[in-house]
Structures are given as structure tokens and as C-alpha cells.
Amino acid sequence: NRYQSRSDFMLYMMRALLLDGNAYAVATRNDRYEINALYPLNPRDVTPYISPGGEVFYRHSDDITEELGDLEKDRWFPQRDIFHIRLFCPRHPLIGESPIKAALLPTLTGMEINKHTASFFHNMSRPSGVLRHPGDISEEAMVRVKKRFMELTQHNNTGEPLVLGDGMEWKQLSMSAVDAELVKSFELTERQVAQIFRVPPFLLGDLEKTSFNNVESLSRFFVNSTLGFYVDHWENALRDFFNLPLNEDVHFDVESALLRGEMKERAESYAKMIQNAVMAPNEARA
């Protein structure tokens, strides 16, 4: 459309598809009734309906309390004017669901770990230490000593030498090995959510099992296992929406865009194809 580039449009639609399970765009047509633009819609404002006769219509409204009879006519769109991509449809054939629902448990676990980690690093998840007094002191004296100790060790006084009287002793409490595993637990929840979205860990910065020799293979794995699913989904949706004839199809060029760096494999492939007379040298150069 005239407001977005192809990349802007794809980014918006993919974000809606992954986070809401549905991506919608309304088509406008020229005088010859040909589609000349696609404008994305907020997926949370669109609801599909199936009429008693089996026809599909889409209602676009940001007011869910609005009665169907009160809607303006231009808020209803026939199926031919709505480009709709949807993910898994377990409850309704026209309403997809986001993978986030499948990742609900690890997502909530990660959020709780985030909260606990913030608290943990704020005060070590326990008192930073203990002030020991050789004798018995009143509760009022305990409060006074604690307040005075904090005044002498915090803010601008951090790191200053401290003198303790009356036989008092300071004992610092250290972090246990169990507490140190918090980060590992959070990494586990990250991987679980990534698996739901078909994203390999190395794309999230987890380079534990990545080397210079296998990075190209991992990139191909990402194209085949992750992008392949969504690309095929997009291609089928575009072909059906534009009602292409049997001899026409839609294909995304992922080979030149994402796998152009695999020089070794490409060189070996071209050499074999030239050797077997499948390609001419000039075709390989091109």
C-alpha cells in the first residue's frame, strides 16, 4: 500500500500472526475490480462470521459491545476482500491461536523468575549479613543499632571503614549454589518459549553448540524448520486469496536472501551440475 513498504507490511503481519494467531489485511480495488492495495488491520478488531448459507464475512470494529444491527455497512467485508493468514485453529476453523498459548506455562515461569531475580539482586534474596552482639540487648537498641549501621554503610558511605564497639561482630552471608542456578532456570524458560516459536537457540545468542564450521548448517536448519513453515503458510494464503490459476504460483526467494553465504556447498553443487551437463558454465556464473 502507499503507506508501507513491503518489509513494513510483512513485519506487521508476521507480528500479528505470531502474537495473536491471525493476520488480516483489507483489499482495495481499481475500476476493473483488480486488487491494487492491501491495508493491514488490527487482528483484535476483526471477527470472522459464517452466514447460514455458508458464506464468510469479516466484521471490523473496536467496540465488542456493539450490536450487530447497529454496525455500519462499511464495517462488514466479504471474504474475497480480506487477506487472512491464521495459525493453528483448534476451536474455530477461521480463528487461529498464537503459539504463546502453548507456551503459557514457561512464559509465566520466566516472568516469576524475572520478578524474583530483581528482588534477589536488590538484597541478595536474604539479609546481606548479621550483626552479632555478645550480650542481650533490647528491641529498641536493636532498631537503633541497625539504623545507625545502615547509615554508615549505604549511599555515600559505601566502602568506608567501619568501627564496631561493645564486642559486636559482622558476619556476611554468601550466595548458595542453589541461588546461583537462577540464571540457568531462566535460560531454560527462554528455550522453551523459543521452541514453541520454532526459533533455534543460536538465534537468541546461545552459541554454546555453535562453531565456525556449523553456522551455515544451522542457518539452513533455521530456513528449513522455522521459516519453511511460515513461508509455505504465506505462499498458500497468497495463492488462494488472489485466486491464481493452476499454472501460476507464489514463492519466496529464501535461497538468495538467506543462504547466499554457503559458498562451499554452492561451488560443489555447480561443479557437479556442469560436470553432468545439467548446467552450462555461463549459467553457473549467472
Side-chain angles (χ1 to χ4, degrees):
N1 58 59
R2 56 181 178 174
Y3 301 112
Q4 295 176 302
S5 66
R6 179 184 61 181
S7 178
D8 293 333
F9 177 82
M10 294 286 289
L11 286 174
Y12 184 93
M13 295 289 283
M14 277 303 298
R15 181 184 184 277
L17 185 65
L18 293 175
L19 297 186
D20 294 280
N22 299 273
Y24 301 94
V26 60
T28 59
R29 300 177 183 270
N30 57 22
D31 294 337
R32 293 181 293 180
Y33 205 65
E34 298 168 333
I35 296 175
N36 58 9
L38 284 172
Y39 294 92
L41 302 173
N42 187 339
R44 302 182 184 184
D45 296 340
V46 181
T47 307
Y49 288 95
I50 302 177
S51 69
E55 297 178 327
V56 177
F57 294 90
Y58 290 87
R59 168 197 175 195
H60 178 246
S61 175
D62 56 2
D63 185 1
I64 61 175
T65 63
E66 200 169 20
E67 293 294 335
L68 296 181
D70 297 335
L71 288 173
E72 300 177 4
K73 290 183 179 180
D74 58 357
R75 295 193 182 185
W76 285 92
F77 299 96
Q79 186 178 25
R80 62 179 177 272
D81 288 338
I82 293 293
F83 175 50
H84 181 194
I85 312 175
R86 49 191 175 270
L87 288 181
F88 320 102
C89 305
R91 295 183 297 174
H92 191 285
L94 294 176
I95 301 178
E97 289 191 356
S98 169
I100 292 179
K101 289 191 176 181
L104 181 61
L105 182 59
T107 301
L108 293 177
T109 302
M111 293 172 64
E112 291 300 321
I113 290 178
N114 267 335
K115 294 179 184 178
H116 181 70
T117 304
S119 174
F120 176 81
F121 284 104
H122 178 68
N123 56 14
M124 297 284 293
S125 189
R126 60 173 60 84
S128 56
V130 176
L131 271 175
R132 290 182 176 178
H133 194 281
D136 295 331
I137 59 176
S138 64
E139 183 175 352
E140 180 182 354
M142 290 174 57
V143 173
R144 185 176 66 252
V145 171
K146 176 183 176 181
K147 181 179 179 182
R148 181 57 179 165
F149 185 85
M150 293 178 65
E151 291 176 351
L152 295 174
T153 57
Q154 293 183 352
H155 306 298
N156 295 333
N157 296 320
T158 301
E160 292 290 331
L162 183 67
V163 178
L164 299 176
D166 294 334
M168 285 193 298
E169 178 186 356
W170 166 256
K171 181 179 180 181
Q172 183 173 349
L173 298 180
S174 61
M175 183 190 307
S176 69
V178 175
D179 294 327
E181 288 296 315
L182 273 174
V183 176
K184 289 293 183 182
S185 300
F186 182 66
E187 289 178 357
L188 176 62
T189 63
E190 277 189 331
R191 291 186 180 184
Q192 288 176 322
V193 177
Q195 289 170 356
I196 296 296
F197 281 102
R198 300 169 178 261
V199 176
F202 77 92
L203 288 180
L204 300 179
D206 184 359
L207 304 179
E208 180 180 352
K209 298 182 179 180
T210 304
S211 66
F212 179 78
N213 294 328
N214 67 358
V215 65
E216 291 183 351
S217 299
L218 291 174
S219 298
R220 180 170 288 278
F221 169 79
F222 170 67
V223 172
N224 293 336
S225 64
T226 306
L227 283 188
F229 169 77
Y230 294 111
V231 164
D232 187 63
H233 216 52
W234 267 84
E235 290 172 347
N236 292 332
L238 286 168
R239 182 181 62 243
D240 294 342
F241 178 70
F242 286 100
N243 196 24
L244 297 180
L246 295 178
N247 61 342
E248 294 183 12
D249 212 336
V250 176
H251 288 289
F252 285 92
D253 184 10
V254 297
E255 290 293 328
S256 63
L258 298 173
L259 301 177
R260 62 182 62 175
E262 295 190 343
M263 290 300 299
K264 180 180 178 181
E265 287 79 1
R266 290 173 59 197
E268 292 176 352
S269 174
Y270 288 144
K272 290 180 180 179
M273 295 181 75
I274 295 174
Q275 181 180 359
N276 296 325
V278 178
M279 294 180 67
N282 286 339
E283 291 176 328
R285 293 191 186 100

